[in-house]
DNA sequence: GGTAAATCGGACTTAATTGGTCGTACATCG
DNA sequence: CGATGTACGACCAATTAAGTCCGATTTACC
């Protein structure tokens, strides 16, 4: 199936929400969880990953929460996906990492054509920025 | 994860192989299974789906096998994916079927922006034809 | 007609991934 | 200190993907 995981969906909703509240106060995980009906613990983990990837900054303690780390115009959707899933969105196993990643390898006849499709998809995710979805 | 399933990978490899042998003889599932190291039973089912979708024609019996049903220039990659997976490649649950398909619905703030990405991806899979990967 | 080679198709099992939960530790403000 | 927040790893549950099995059917050829 070619589908974003729920984590990514949650992450996009969350970071969009944070971006929409930039300038004002910082946003807590609970706030987002309540507003969008997202399981709190799961959302927390997603936010942690976004924080680790320096897309958002976390503020611990009593008036803590999250705020945007960068200019939303510089944050691409593909970057967000990569931060949450740990890998870039790649449609086939062939195209993943090193050259030995394709099991069939020499028998894999679809690798090269899929590279084109891959490039298109990368562009689809890579040209849209956070600023465009706020 | 945004990734094609193995079934789709197998299907693409298989239909490409069949297309590459068009004109000559028909190709058996075992032949493909052997050549590319694909589990026979699984491949057989994938081929059945392609056959049901009228992308390939099956010939039963002793000298049976599969051959291409259509002009490869008219067979789009998205059609092949759809035939195998049963659904078109859709990146988010929001975008799937009816209007009630998005659980969060009114809270889902990313639906409309993702539609653009979706359109790009549809185009990526929809413009490339079987003829281009042979 | 019998047999072997092929597809057909459903039921089933297993493996992998995803989704979600829990518990505890740490930070910070008042 | 205590309330309110994040940090993080371990864990369990649910779903989906991947693969297997087995009997049925079709058909060419001897």
């Amino acid at each position: 199936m070619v589908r974003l995981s729920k984590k990514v969906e949650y992450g996009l909703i969350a970071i969009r929400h944070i971006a929409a509240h930039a300038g004002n106060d910082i946003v807590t995980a609970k706030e987002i969880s309540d507003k969008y009906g997202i399981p709190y613990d799961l959302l927390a983990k997603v936010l942690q990953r976004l924080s680790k990837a320096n897309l958002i900054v976390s503020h611990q303690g009593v008036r803590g929460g999250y705020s945007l780390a960068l200019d939303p115009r510089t944050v691409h959707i593909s970057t967000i996906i990569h931060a949450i899933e740990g890998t870039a969105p790649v449609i086939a196993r062939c195209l993943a990492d090193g050259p030995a990643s394709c099991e069939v390898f020499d028998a894999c006849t679809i690798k090269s054509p899929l590279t084109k499709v891959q490039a298109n998809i990368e562009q689809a995710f890579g040209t849209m920025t956070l600023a465009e979805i706020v």
Side-chain angles (χ1 to χ4, degrees), chain A residues 5-130:
Chain A
S5 67
K6 280 202 174 180
K7 280 178 195 165
V8 169
E9 289 184 10
Y10 295 161
L12 286 173
I13 291 175
I15 200 172
R16 188 214 140 271
H17 181 90
I18 293 170
H21 287 70
N24 306 344
D25 38 16
I26 61 186
V27 182
T28 70
K30 184 165 191 319
E31 200 177 318
I32 299 175
S33 160
D34 284 348
K35 175 150 190 180
Y36 301 101
I38 300 172
Y40 175 83
D41 289 302
L42 190 51
L43 175 63
K45 237 189 305 192
V46 171
L47 289 170
Q48 280 164 35
R49 293 194 193 172
L50 292 176
S51 161
K52 262 194 168 178
N54 297 314
L55 299 179
I56 58 179
V57 247
S58 70
H59 308 272
Q60 290 199 340
V62 119
R63 288 231 163 265
Y66 296 94
S67 59
L68 211 56
L70 306 167
D71 184 330
R73 286 170 298 182
T74 68
V75 179
H76 298 277
I77 305 299
S78 58
T79 307
I80 300 173
I81 297 177
H82 190 288
I84 297 172
E85 303 224 317
T87 61
V90 167
I91 57 167
R93 292 158 182 78
C94 321
L95 308 172
D97 358 87
S101 60
C102 189
E103 301 144 18
V104 272
F105 196 55
D106 50 299
C108 180
T109 49
I110 56 170
K111 182 169 184 170
S112 125
L114 282 183
T115 305
K116 288 187 199 168
V117 180
Q118 174 68 33
N120 282 340
I121 290 183
E122 253 161 40
Q123 186 164 345
F125 285 117
T127 52
M128 178 171 276
T129 68
L130 180 52

